């Protein structure tokens, strides 16, 4: 249960940068058969969902080679926002 970050889903979530440069984590609703590193197909599917996507980062691996968790994704987004706010991106 839950909504947004708290949603209980097994669907792939990716870090999306839109055409304005804003970043958000978006669920790929139809991820069946999607290969882990196929960013072009991820972008195609996200666009089919109506998502404005200029680039996508699968966020499949974090420092130390451990699988990413939702908390890791949140930390990466906050770090990117901080860098952008400070003009370091």
């Amino acid at each position: 249960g839950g909504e947004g970050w708290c949603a209980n889903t097994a669907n792939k979530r990716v870090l999306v940068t839109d055409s304005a440069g804003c970043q958000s984590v978006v669920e790929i609703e139809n991820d069946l058969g999607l290969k882990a590193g196929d960013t072009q197909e991820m972008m195609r599917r996200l666009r089919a969902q109506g998502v404005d996507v200029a680039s996508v980062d699968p966020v499949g691996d974090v420092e130390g080679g451990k699988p990413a968790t939702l908390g890791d994704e949140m930390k990466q987004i906050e770090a990117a926002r901080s860098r952008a706010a400070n003009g370091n991106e």
Side-chain angles (χ1 to χ4, degrees):
E3 296 179 19
W5 289 106
C6 297
N8 183 13
T9 178
N11 290 357
K12 177 77 174 159
R13 290 186 178 108
V14 294
L15 181 63
V16 170
T17 303
D18 66 21
S19 58
C22 297
Q23 292 183 319
S24 59
V25 174
V26 179
E27 175 185 344
I28 301 175
E29 295 169 358
N30 175 18
D31 67 349
L32 290 176
L34 184 62
K35 292 184 174 38
D38 191 351
T39 57
Q40 292 301 313
E41 180 62 15
M42 290 176 194
M43 290 172 53
R44 188 191 71 73
R45 292 184 190 197
L46 288 165
R47 288 183 182 124
Q49 290 175 211
V51 177
D52 174 17
V53 55
S55 67
V56 64
D57 181 356
V59 194
D61 196 42
V62 294
E63 295 175 28
K66 298 182 291 186
T69 65
L70 188 54
D72 293 328
E73 292 174 5
M74 298 269 306
K75 289 175 189 174
Q76 289 180 345
I77 291 169
E78 289 304 316
R81 286 182 179 156
S82 178
R83 288 190 305 273
N86 293 322
N88 295 331
E89 187 141 320

